[in-house]
């Protein structure tokens, strides 16, 4: 779940903050096909679908015993479950075919001829006591609300968690995003900003993911998207609430798997390491109710 900061338009005074832990949970899957090499997937979502279909969260191509969407691994109220999705050959835990099985935080199960090992990893980063922070000279931070915001930004900046910034137009969401990048371990790497409201669906998808030669009329040469250009850095998606639903689906896959596929590329995907910060002036919960925004994002 993203960390939500409310940007407020308002020089920072010295204050203290007690030390605490910032926790980001991920589930690591190691997929080992029969006679093949293992692949590792790191998932930060709580519902992971495994199958042969490219819409699955973890795609296993070279096992004929696996269905298009074979099984799902999910978390509910602090417990983990493995559920088969009416697959032809079943899903096995401890050599027994299961329907829905409560699972330990670490274990092994089988789909087709493929062994799946998994473990839940909680990354804890100690947030040290903050007595004062140095901010850019153009920031004005005299109100207690703005000071609280900046100390929160300083605290979460070292994390790789995706962050959502909510606030009215003009309050400085992009400036906060730049601070998050500058105070992170990614500082010195690319920081790229994209406005999701200024492009058509097709142009935005091409901007984000790039294309291969011949992907569409006029695509004379291959071109990387901003996810590849921002690799090891930070991507700020401004006006996130304006992103078309179809592009949201492609973005969700990046958030879950860290994999992108250029337009015109049928199967091969590219691994990227990008921290995503998003900004919006919309109430996204309301947009979810209106079916304008995906709840799983």
């Amino acid at each position: 779940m993203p960390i939500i900061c409310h940007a407020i338009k308002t020089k920072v005074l010295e204050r203290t903050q007690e030390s605490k832990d910032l926790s980001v949970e991920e589930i690591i899957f190691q997929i080992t096909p029969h006679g093949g090499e293992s692949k590792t997937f790191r998932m930060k979502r709580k519902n992971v679908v495994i199958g042969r279909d490219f819409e699955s969260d973890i795609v296993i191509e070279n096992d004929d015993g696996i269905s298009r969407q074979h099984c799902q691994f999910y978390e509910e109220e602090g417990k983990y479950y493995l559920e088969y999705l009416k697959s032809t050959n079943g899903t096995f835990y401890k050599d027994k075919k299961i329907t829905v099985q409560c699972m330990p935080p670490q274990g092994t199960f089988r789909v087709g001829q493929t062994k799946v090992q998994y473990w839940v990893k909680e990354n804890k980063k100690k947030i040290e006591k903050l007595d004062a922070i140095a901010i850019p000279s153009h920031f004005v931070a005299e109100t207690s609300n703005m000071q609280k915001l900046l100390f929160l930004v300083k605290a979460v900046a070292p994390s790789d968690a995706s962050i959502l910034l909510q606030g009215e137009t003009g309050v400085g969401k992009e400036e906060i995003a730049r601070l998050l990048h500058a105070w992170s371990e990614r500082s010195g790497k690319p920081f790229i900003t994209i406005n999701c409201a200024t492009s058509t669906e097709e142009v935005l998808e091409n901007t984000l993911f790039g294309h291969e030669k011949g992907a569409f009329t006029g695509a004379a040469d291959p071109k990387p998207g901003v996810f590849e250009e921002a690799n090891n850095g930070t991507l700020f998606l401004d006006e996130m609430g304006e992103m078309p639903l179809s592009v949201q689906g492609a973005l969700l896959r990046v958030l879950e798997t860290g994999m992108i596929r250029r337009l015109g590329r049928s199967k091969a995907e590219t691994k990227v390491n990008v921290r995503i910060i998003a900004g919006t002036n919309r109430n996204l919960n309301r947009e979810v109710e209106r079916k304008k925004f995906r709840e799983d994002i």
Side-chain angles (χ1 to χ4, degrees):
M1 180 173 292
I3 299 166
I4 302 177
C5 302
H6 294 270
I8 304 171
K9 195 175 183 179
T10 67
K11 247 160 201 177
V12 66
L13 304 178
E14 292 190 359
R15 66 183 290 272
T16 60
Q17 175 174 303
E18 296 300 321
S19 298
K20 62 179 182 179
D21 288 330
L22 179 67
S23 178
V24 179
E25 188 178 272
E26 66 178 356
I27 306 174
I28 303 173
F29 292 88
Q30 187 174 64
I31 310 297
T32 308
H34 180 68
E37 295 184 358
S38 297
K39 290 185 179 181
T40 301
F41 298 82
R42 295 176 177 269
M43 314 297 289
K44 292 182 180 179
R45 69 168 302 180
K46 295 186 177 182
N47 187 353
V48 179
V49 175
I50 299 173
R52 297 183 67 189
D53 192 296
F54 281 97
E55 293 300 318
S56 298
D57 302 305
I58 295 179
V59 180
I60 304 175
E61 299 180 59
N62 301 318
D63 188 335
D64 293 335
I66 295 178
S67 301
R68 291 169 59 84
Q69 292 194 329
H70 196 98
C71 65
Q72 65 176 342
F73 187 96
Y74 61 94
E75 184 270 340
E76 188 174 278
E77 297 182 349
K79 295 182 179 180
Y80 297 93
Y81 297 90
L82 177 65
E83 179 181 5
Y84 98 112
L85 298 176
K86 298 183 178 180
S87 51
T88 302
N89 295 311
T91 299
F92 294 83
Y93 175 62
K94 294 184 176 179
D95 294 324
K96 294 182 179 180
K97 191 174 183 179
I98 61 99
T99 302
V100 179
Q101 174 71 41
C102 185
M103 304 290 282
Q106 180 175 341
T108 302
F109 58 93
R110 179 172 61 82
V111 292
Q113 297 298 312
T114 299
K115 182 174 72 172
V116 181
Q117 292 177 281
Y118 71 92
W119 56 97
V120 179
K121 182 179 181 182
E122 192 173 34
N123 295 322
K124 288 188 176 182
K125 185 181 289 290
K126 179 68 73 177
I127 301 174
E128 300 300 337
K129 182 178 178 181
L130 303 176
D131 296 314
I133 54 175
I135 61 172
S137 58
H138 64 279
F139 266 79
V140 179
E142 296 180 354
T143 69
S144 60
N145 281 342
M146 191 62 186
Q147 291 167 26
K148 289 177 182 177
L149 170 63
L150 289 176
F151 275 86
L152 176 59
V153 169
K154 182 69 172 178
V156 302
S159 165
D160 272 339
S162 300
I163 291 182
L164 174 66
L165 301 171
Q166 292 181 302
E168 297 300 319
T169 300
V171 298
K173 295 187 290 295
E174 183 175 343
E175 293 296 335
I176 295 297
R178 291 183 181 276
L179 269 185
L180 284 163
H181 177 72
W183 287 341
S184 77
E185 296 177 0
R186 297 175 183 267
S187 61
K189 301 297 184 180
F191 176 90
I192 297 178
T193 298
I194 293 295
N195 190 320
C196 300
T198 59
S199 300
T200 65
E201 178 180 329
E202 294 77 12
V203 171
L204 180 58
E205 191 170 11
N206 184 35
T207 299
L208 291 172
F209 306 114
H211 63 259
E212 295 292 350
K213 179 179 178 180
F216 50 83
T217 303
D221 297 293
K223 185 179 185 299
V226 292
F227 270 105
E228 291 181 74
E229 293 175 342
N231 196 32
N232 297 317
T234 303
L235 178 60
F236 177 52
L237 300 174
D238 199 9
E239 303 296 348
M240 176 72 171
E242 310 295 331
M243 180 178 285
L245 280 168
S246 62
V247 183
Q248 290 177 34
L251 174 63
L252 179 62
R253 180 160 177 78
V254 183
L255 286 168
E256 294 170 350
T257 68
M259 305 294 288
I260 63 104
R261 185 183 297 130
R262 291 186 186 181
L263 301 180
R265 182 181 291 178
S266 58
K267 292 185 178 182
E269 295 181 301
T270 300
K271 183 74 173 177
V272 292
N273 178 8
V274 178
R275 185 186 196 177
I276 297 177
I277 302 174
T280 184
N281 61 4
R282 290 183 176 269
N283 183 325
L284 294 187
N285 287 328
R286 191 174 302 152
E287 294 300 295
V288 168
E289 293 174 357
R290 295 173 57 205
K291 309 298 183 183
K292 298 289 185 180
F293 201 83
R294 293 182 61 127
E295 185 176 11
D296 43 11
I297 290 188

